[in-house]
Amino acid sequence: PLIGVRRAEFQRLLIDTAEKHGIEIKWGHQAIEFEQSEDAVEVTFVNGIKDTASFVVGCDGLHSNTRIALFGKEKASFTGLAQFGGLSPTPPDLQGKFALVSHYGNGRHMVSYPVAEDKYSWAITIRETEVKEDWKIQHIEQQNEIRRGPLSDWGFGAGDLVKTGQKIVKYGLYDRPELKSWFKGRIVLLGDAAHPTSPHLGQGANQAFEDIYHIMRLLKKYNPSAGHPSTELLSQVFIDYQVLRLSRTSELVRRARQQGEARVVEG
């Protein structure tokens, strides 16, 4: 049996867990500038606030300002594919089926899975001209157009999911060129900031958590006292981290793009 976790609920769990451990989360802070010194990094945020840390982990996603600060601006690579999807009541054809379900059509692919006993999450991949990766909910007219469109005629429960979709979003699918290194000095990248991927292997969040595990393990290994780390100590941590992670994530990014192409074959 398989059941997914809704993104908002998982984020709430992470926030609650962090706060229970005394970790303060500061909202509304978008990092835009980084100035490194011998033993610290000063970070400037778009709201004008500045703060200083012994090191910085940039996990700010596909449009990472941390990555730009380290390695310069580069264009995200549009994969030629877009997705739209939403959340729907579980249709009769999928009642009691706690599984990942794929539906295929001509140049179309739907993946769906339960996120509760009575709700399914779903996403449809299509070929399309470039669409922004902003995950914004479509206007009501656009949502209704999708609900009434040809995909609502799909069988085996797929059309029912489209017809009853709630908060339908549409977004382009992007990745970025592979980096040869993920750090400079006291600043290191993690997750989509380091290795953004299209979603066809379902590995985006998984790989970010693998990154976190290894960074934490290596910090504990090389700095067990949790003292102020030297630049040399951090370099050892970050080198070991990217040796473990860079080739693995690069391969998954390539395979995800290939999987997306294979799923939307036309003709």
Side-chain angles (χ1 to χ4, degrees):
L2 177 147
I3 188 165
V5 179
R6 293 179 63 186
R7 184 183 298 262
E9 293 171 1
F10 187 52
Q11 288 177 333
R12 185 73 260 169
L13 173 64
L14 294 176
I15 292 164
D16 290 346
T17 302
E19 290 178 342
K20 284 177 183 176
H21 286 80
I23 298 170
E24 182 183 2
I25 299 173
K26 295 187 177 181
W27 304 100
H29 284 58
Q30 181 184 3
I32 53 172
E33 291 181 8
F34 306 84
E35 186 173 342
Q36 300 198 55
S37 61
E38 185 177 339
D39 60 356
V41 184
E42 183 182 74
V43 183
T44 301
F45 299 94
V46 72
N47 57 13
I49 294 174
K50 297 188 177 188
D51 205 348
T52 302
S54 56
F55 64 95
V56 169
V57 179
C59 46
D60 43 351
L62 172 70
H63 304 292
S64 168
N65 288 328
T66 316
R67 178 170 174 144
I68 292 171
L70 294 185
F71 303 111
K73 198 162 188 177
E74 61 188 359
K75 183 175 173 59
S77 301
F78 180 57
T79 64
L81 303 176
Q83 277 189 343
F84 57 89
L87 192 69
S88 300
T90 302
D93 282 344
L94 297 175
Q95 291 285 344
K97 295 180 180 178
F98 291 93
L100 187 74
V101 182
S102 284
H103 295 86
Y104 293 88
N106 187 24
R108 304 281 191 270
H109 171 258
M110 173 191 271
V111 62
S112 62
Y113 53 89
V115 292
E117 288 190 7
D118 60 348
K119 289 193 182 298
Y120 256 70
S121 178
W122 55 273
I124 295 175
T125 304
I126 57 174
R127 292 192 186 279
E128 191 158 315
T129 54
E130 190 160 358
V131 183
K132 285 185 178 180
E133 192 262 358
D134 55 14
W135 288 74
K136 288 184 178 178
I137 296 172
Q138 299 283 284
H139 295 302
I140 188 65
E141 295 84 1
Q142 295 169 311
Q143 294 191 61
N144 285 335
E145 185 178 332
I146 291 170
R147 293 184 186 111
R148 295 192 294 259
L151 295 174
S152 65
D153 294 329
W154 275 12
F156 306 102
D160 290 333
L161 290 173
V162 176
K163 289 174 189 173
T164 59
Q166 303 161 8
K167 297 182 179 179
I168 297 174
V169 296
K170 185 175 182 179
Y171 44 90
L173 302 180
Y174 291 79
D175 52 30
R176 284 191 184 275
E178 176 185 332
L179 291 173
K180 302 303 179 187
S181 177
W182 290 347
F183 77 97
K184 278 188 179 179
R186 292 175 169 269
I187 305 175
V188 66
L189 302 177
L190 181 151
D192 276 359
H195 45 78
T197 182
S198 51
H200 308 293
L201 294 178
Q203 285 296 304
N206 293 349
Q207 292 310 305
F209 278 104
E210 287 189 21
D211 289 350
I212 293 165
Y213 167 77
H214 285 294
I215 279 197
M216 295 304 298
R217 181 181 61 80
L218 291 165
L219 283 168
K220 187 173 181 180
K221 174 182 176 181
Y222 289 110
N223 190 19
S225 66
H228 189 94
S230 66
T231 302
E232 291 73 24
L233 185 150
L234 289 172
S235 291
Q236 188 61 64
V237 169
F238 298 158
I239 288 169
D240 284 12
Y241 159 63
Q242 69 182 23
V243 165
L244 284 166
R245 301 291 300 142
L246 212 155
S247 61
R248 171 170 167 76
T249 54
S250 296
E251 175 63 18
L252 287 170
V253 170
R254 288 191 290 270
R255 284 172 51 197
R257 188 179 271 237
Q258 292 167 358
Q259 181 83 313
E261 288 292 324
R263 283 176 169 172
V264 293
V265 173
E266 297 177 339

